[in-house]
Amino acid sequence: MLTALILRIVETSARRAVWIVAVALLATIMIGSYAADHLSIDTDVNKLIAADLPWRQRDAAFDREFPQYTDLLAIVVDGSSPDQVDDAAAALEAKLNQRPDLFTTVRRPDAGTFFEQDGVLFLSTAEIQATLDQVIQAQPMLAALTADPSLRGLLGAMDLFLSGIAQGAADRSVLDVPLTAIADTVQSWRDGQHRQMSWQTLLTGQKPRSEELRRFILVQPRLDFSRLMPGEEASDYVRGAAQVLGLTPDRGVRVRLTGEIALGDEEFETIASGIVLTTLCSVSLIGIILVLALRSWRLIVPMLVTLVMGLTATMGFAAFAVGKLNPISVAFSIMFIGIAIDFSIQFGVRYRDERHRHPEGMDAMRATARNVGTSLLVAALATAAGFLSFTPTAYIGVSQLGLIAGVGMMIAVILNLTVLPALLTLLHPPAEPATVGFGWLVPADRWLLRRRRLVTAGSVLLTLLAIGTSTRLSFDFNPLHLRDPHTESVATLVDLIADPATTPYTIDVLAPSPAEAARLAARIDALPSVFRTIQINNFVPEDQEPKLALIEDAAALLAPTLQPPASTIPPDVPALRLAMTRTAIQLRAVGGAAELRLAAQLDDASSAEPSRIEQLAHAVVGSLPNRLKALRSMLSAQPVTLDTLPAPLRRDWVAADGKARIAVFPKGDSSNNAVLRQFVADVRSVVPDAGGPSISLQESANTVTTAFVRAGIFAVVAITLLLSLLLRRARDVALVVCPLLLACALTTALSAALGLAINFANIIALPLLLGVGTAFNIYYVANWRRGETHPLASATTRAILFSALTTGAAFGSLALSPHPGTASMGELLSLSLAMTLLSTFLVLPAWLGPAPTTTAPAPQTAIAIGTDAAVKGQKIP
């Protein structure tokens, strides 16, 4: 008989306590050493879902066609002027290209020779005409600046204009815009601000658009997935390079990191930062709860040692079975501690209770083994079955977690039936002066028994209401909502999402050819939820002939003016002082308000320290050489066709086999799940096999929810079958399973009512609920089968309560984490645990009814849980 076997194992462990503990310690050391050498973490979140799913295969096919879009670290550079942001992005790009050991690719999708030379063709004909008119009007100044692109050259050109104004030969209004721009820049310099004058705005006369103040650098860092943050070294280098180059907010430039790599790294960093707080709270609460439950260090220490041994052994199995943990399966330790400590508390509290009845330690140990040993084993088997039901799912993260946690349950119960009795024997806790149950709950037991029909009817009604409310429970598939909004990567992503033109929540479509891409993009553009599409044909400007004619005419007039001299000698500080003094005199001669303002500023600047004067010169004309170069490039624009597009740009949109990529951008707030659902549905109505981030988000959610629903059904079926085999009576099986289903219904209903959506993080509460709920219910049913008449007043209730409090302390502390996903996990776990206790303490005793009082012969194969009768081959009817 099973109970007899367990009794023999516990008794032998107690009698051979020294040998058992010695062997266990030696095994723990060896297994721990093996785990330390062979167990690692693979933080690649792309491996959490099976790669053979159709949508994963489409994503993989796209990645093979366009590998430059995988594992991206997106660098967002913002500046106060187009000149500044262009120069900053170019400088940072050059700096990163010096470290091929950290970056496999570095590219700017919005820059390069093509955009510098032919980008003007993307403007309308009217916009080009206006820009060229402005540049032609500034030709005299451009000539002077080309000859001397310095502050001295600028002031010299102004002197000529001012002289002409004084003589009545020039229009004073021509200098209004330049004077204001220079005066504002000088004032910022006097105020200690690093503001750079925009020559692009000055030359074109156009106010910069928002997209002109932002540039992107896309890099593919070399990743080390053995580290918690695989891209940390590359990200640190980018931030350090920005500091070295002076690309800081106090200088008018902001460099931020986002993208897949930055988001993942900062998420793990946020989780890790909360571990200290949650661990301290968890350990402190668990310590207090164990003291209240057991009252003796001679009981607490054996339990903690057993727990550490079990965790180490489970880690050893994980090292052998999987080798590398993923970001989900790494939570096996939390699962193990939360449930394995329950086994120890059940055994320990029962041992305390038996020491009151049996002052002799060995007698108490035998009684404990008879009364709780088999129920512990059944609970462990049922819990393991629940966890292992998650193994055959497409959600690899939870599949791996289920395997490790399932085996961990068996390890835990074996150690609690061998090592724990040995340690208790060696430390020999004192006898208990009184029973350890809750005698004051006897009236509650009697009330539940008298009102069992009322409680049963109420619980059935509550279940139906809960099921109805549960239909409002939503699944939040957007992982952005699980991340800390205060981290740089998330804040930057939210900023990008706010603009439909830069949101990363796009859809990727592959067309057979560029020509087919144009036709397909036209159909997609007509969809109501689509903001725009981009494909290779968009890089061939329209109406090129009239635009090129305008540029050609302007080039004939301006080209000689813009030819730089063979060499120029930059002015020194004395030359700059002299130039500022001369220009101030000229400005006063003209006498306007703007002129007098700038004259006073130049007088003040001319007496500044040499380093300050150099800073002023850089602020005024620092971006000028690059703008003159860009102007020369613009005037050399050439006809653009698909064949003349530069190879890197073409490779971003056309694969090696000729397939063309279409990027589809959503209209509206793409952080809104409803918007994304409609966007995906609309695009799929035209292109069913589309892929990309928006589709991956929703397919991931579908995969995860399907996996958990199936695994939950498998778990309930597996637990039911196992209990049917062990309990041998359908009613007893129902008494274990039905309160579990009630707890599930109440948890989902309250989650819906409280607005707590299910997400990728907190959905892990389901296997825990199954494990804990099954164990708690088995303990009560076992007591009832052996004739327990007051379940709430029994020692089992004390054990369950403090076990739940211990588990709640371990998981509830997660709600304090600064990481929203982890916090939601703690909230849902605490809620599910509370509902489990509600169904176990208030509903199950009423459902049990009066305890059996008669016995009958049992077949030799029957397994009766935790009874003396079972040792004699009898079962409780």
Side-chain angles (χ1 to χ4, degrees):
M1 297 298 295
L2 185 57
T3 302
L5 176 61
I6 292 175
L7 176 61
R8 192 174 302 113
I9 291 172
V10 171
E11 187 173 7
T12 301
S13 299
R15 293 188 183 280
R16 303 286 188 270
V18 174
W19 283 102
I20 292 292
V21 172
V23 170
L25 286 174
L26 179 61
T28 300
I29 293 172
M30 295 174 63
I31 294 173
S33 176
Y34 174 81
D37 292 338
H38 295 82
L39 188 62
S40 60
I41 300 176
D42 185 348
T43 55
D44 187 356
V45 295
N46 291 318
K47 298 178 181 177
L48 291 180
I49 295 179
D52 58 353
L53 296 173
W55 66 271
R56 287 297 309 274
Q57 291 179 337
R58 287 195 294 270
D59 284 351
F62 179 85
D63 291 343
R64 288 192 297 270
E65 298 283 6
F66 298 96
Q68 65 268 40
Y69 290 103
T70 61
D71 298 331
L72 283 179
L73 180 65
I75 305 170
V76 183
V77 184
D78 294 301
S80 57
S81 70
D83 316 48
Q84 189 177 39
V85 74
D86 275 333
D87 293 346
L92 185 56
E93 179 191 22
K95 186 78 171 175
L96 300 184
N97 271 318
Q98 297 173 6
R99 292 298 304 271
D101 59 314
L102 291 179
F103 307 101
T104 58
T105 63
V106 179
R107 58 194 176 93
R108 291 179 60 195
D110 51 9
T113 304
F114 169 75
F115 290 103
E116 189 175 85
Q117 174 180 290
D118 302 317
V120 66
L121 297 176
F122 292 101
L123 299 176
S124 68
T125 304
E127 289 174 322
I128 293 176
Q129 181 69 69
T131 298
L132 293 176
D133 289 345
Q134 185 77 14
V135 173
I136 291 171
Q137 186 178 6
Q139 183 179 13
M141 181 177 288
L142 288 174
L145 292 174
T146 301
D148 184 4
S150 68
L151 180 59
R152 178 187 60 189
L154 173 62
L155 295 176
M158 286 182 59
D159 289 345
L160 292 176
F161 273 96
L162 291 168
S163 177
I165 292 172
Q167 298 173 9
D171 185 359
R172 181 175 174 178
S173 64
V174 173
L175 284 182
D176 285 347
V177 173
L179 284 178
T180 301
I182 296 171
D184 290 345
T185 304
V186 176
Q187 186 60 48
S188 296
W189 167 81
R190 293 175 67 185
D191 294 340
Q193 301 174 4
H194 295 270
R195 174 184 171 185
Q196 200 169 44
M197 193 169 77
S198 173
W199 280 94
Q200 178 174 317
T201 302
L202 193 62
L203 293 174
T204 62
Q206 302 293 325
K207 184 179 180 180
R209 299 185 299 272
S210 59
E211 59 265 26
E212 293 181 302
L213 301 178
R214 173 171 290 169
R215 293 291 180 263
F216 296 91
I217 305 174
L218 302 181
V219 302
Q220 289 178 302
R222 298 187 185 277
L223 303 175
D224 181 3
F225 287 112
S226 65
R227 301 177 61 172
L228 184 64
M229 294 181 283
E232 181 179 22
E233 187 177 1
S235 297
D236 287 346
Y237 181 81
V238 173
R239 295 188 177 99
Q243 291 288 333
V244 169
L245 294 171
L247 309 181
T248 55
D250 63 312
R251 293 180 176 270
V253 180
R254 181 170 57 164
V255 177
R256 296 176 292 170
L257 306 184
T258 189
E260 178 184 352
I261 302 304
L263 287 166
D265 285 355
E266 288 193 343
E267 180 170 25
F268 285 119
E269 184 178 23
T270 304
I271 293 172
S273 68
I275 285 178
V276 176
L277 174 63
T278 56
T279 300
L280 288 176
C281 292
S282 176
V283 170
S284 300
L285 289 173
I286 288 174
I288 294 172
I289 292 168
L290 287 177
V291 169
L292 292 175
L294 303 171
R295 306 290 180 88
S296 171
W297 68 269
R298 297 176 187 270
L299 285 168
I300 295 173
V301 170
M303 291 183 185
L304 295 179
V305 171
T306 303
L307 184 66
V308 171
M309 287 182 175
L311 182 59
T312 303
T314 305
M315 292 175 63
F317 169 77
F320 172 78
V322 300
K324 291 185 178 181
L325 300 174
N326 58 55
I328 299 295
S329 63
V330 73
F332 84 88
S333 58
I334 299 176
M335 291 288 184
F336 181 88
I337 293 172
I339 300 178
I341 194 66
D342 168 64
F343 298 160
S344 296
I345 290 177
Q346 291 293 333
F347 195 97
V349 170
R350 174 60 66 176
Y351 180 73
R352 280 190 63 197
D353 193 49
E354 295 300 338
R355 285 301 307 272
H356 171 65
R357 298 185 179 89
H358 308 280
E360 177 59 37
M362 186 57 70
D363 292 340
M365 190 67 71
R366 292 192 191 97
T368 300
R370 282 194 297 267
N371 290 326
V372 81
T374 309
S375 58
L376 282 184
L377 180 59
V378 174
L381 288 171
T383 304
F387 280 130
L388 292 173
S389 297
F390 287 82
T391 302
T393 66
Y395 193 16
I396 302 299
V398 172
S399 173
Q400 195 180 91
L401 173 65
L403 174 64
I404 299 171
V407 174
M409 293 302 96
M410 299 313 303
I411 293 173
V413 76
I414 291 172
L415 292 179
N416 275 280
L417 294 177
T418 55
V419 175
L420 182 57
L423 289 170
L424 290 173
T425 300
L426 292 178
L427 294 182
H428 194 64
E432 293 291 335
T435 181
V436 298
F438 295 135
W440 51 273
L441 284 177
V442 169
D445 279 317
R446 292 170 178 166
W447 186 90
L448 287 174
L449 189 58
R450 289 196 307 269
R451 301 289 188 272
R452 56 182 304 225
R453 292 183 179 178
L454 176 64
V455 173
T456 300
S459 62
V460 171
L461 179 61
L462 189 61
T463 302
L464 295 176
L465 291 174
I467 292 174
T469 306
S470 299
T471 57
R472 295 172 14 213
L473 185 67
S474 62
F475 188 94
D476 187 353
F477 60 79
N478 194 332
L480 184 63
H481 300 158
L482 303 182
R483 296 186 165 110
D484 184 355
H486 302 102
T487 59
E488 179 186 78
S489 61
V490 175
T492 305
L493 187 63
V494 170
D495 191 10
L496 297 179
I497 289 173
D499 184 354
T502 58
T503 179
Y505 291 155
T506 58
I507 288 178
D508 293 316
V509 176
L510 284 180
S513 66
E516 183 59 31
R519 289 190 290 269
L520 190 55
R523 294 178 57 197
I524 297 173
D525 276 322
L527 297 172
S529 60
V530 171
F531 173 68
R532 70 172 181 181
T533 62
I534 299 178
Q535 37 87 26
I536 188 65
N537 296 281
N538 295 127
F539 294 95
V540 179
E542 298 177 348
D543 302 323
Q544 294 187 46
E545 187 174 346
K547 297 175 183 177
L548 288 169
L550 291 174
I551 294 171
E552 186 177 354
D553 291 343
L557 180 63
L558 295 171
T561 302
L562 295 174
Q563 288 302 319
S567 63
T568 57
I569 300 175
D572 55 15
V573 172
L576 293 177
R577 293 185 195 274
L578 179 60
M580 286 188 283
T581 301
R582 287 176 176 173
T583 302
I585 294 172
Q586 292 276 20
L587 288 166
R588 287 194 178 88
V590 174
E595 287 82 358
L596 292 177
R597 176 195 177 203
L598 182 56
Q601 291 175 331
L602 292 177
D603 282 338
D604 178 65
S606 64
S607 61
E609 294 292 328
S611 61
R612 290 279 292 156
I613 291 177
E614 290 174 352
Q615 290 174 2
L616 174 60
H618 179 74
V620 176
V621 297
S623 67
L624 177 59
N626 285 337
R627 301 295 81 73
L628 292 174
K629 176 177 175 291
L631 184 56
R632 286 191 290 270
S633 295
M634 182 189 75
L635 292 174
S636 62
Q638 299 295 317
V640 177
T641 65
L642 284 178
D643 294 334
T644 63
L645 290 175
L649 175 60
R650 186 177 177 85
R651 185 66 187 88
D652 280 347
W653 297 94
V654 180
D657 60 3
K659 292 179 181 176
R661 170 190 172 221
I662 305 172
V664 188
F665 291 78
K667 185 183 294 182
D669 180 10
S670 57
S671 66
N672 185 294
N673 290 346
V675 170
L676 281 186
R677 287 192 189 96
Q678 188 61 51
F679 173 56
V680 169
D682 286 351
V683 175
R684 277 184 157 176
S685 69
V686 176
V687 190
D689 60 348
S694 290
I695 289 178
S696 295
L697 283 178
Q698 294 190 43
E699 289 290 0
S700 296
N702 293 337
T703 299
V704 171
T705 52
T706 300
F708 270 91
V709 169
R710 288 179 179 175
I713 294 173
F714 292 161
V716 172
V717 171
I719 291 172
T720 302
L721 292 176
L722 179 64
L723 293 176
S724 298
L725 177 65
L726 297 174
L727 300 181
R728 305 296 295 273
R729 287 193 303 197
R731 182 174 183 270
D732 293 354
V733 173
L735 288 172
V736 174
V737 175
C738 289
L740 184 63
L741 299 179
L742 172 61
C744 289
L746 291 176
T747 299
T748 55
L750 280 178
S751 298
L754 297 174
L756 181 60
I758 302 298
N759 54 52
F760 290 110
N762 63 23
I763 198 171
I764 205 172
L766 179 58
L768 176 69
L769 175 61
L770 291 175
V772 172
T774 300
F776 289 174
N777 295 340
I778 285 175
Y779 302 145
Y780 263 20
V781 173
N783 283 355
W784 175 78
R785 285 169 63 110
R786 70 182 181 86
E788 177 64 65
T789 57
H790 299 98
L792 293 181
S794 68
T796 299
T797 296
R798 182 186 186 91
I800 290 177
L801 175 63
F802 283 102
S803 173
L805 290 175
T806 305
T807 303
F811 297 131
S813 61
L814 296 176
L816 302 176
S817 172
H819 182 261
T822 303
S824 72
M825 186 190 306
E827 293 167 358
L828 188 57
L829 286 168
S830 299
L831 180 61
S832 65
L833 186 61
M835 295 303 99
T836 300
L837 288 180
L838 176 67
S839 64
T840 299
F841 285 160
L842 299 184
V843 177
L844 182 55
W847 288 0
L848 288 172
T853 56
T854 61
T855 62
Q860 293 297 313
T861 57
I863 298 175
I865 294 184
T867 66
D868 292 317
V871 181
K872 302 174 184 177
Q874 296 177 323
K875 69 175 182 179
I876 301 297

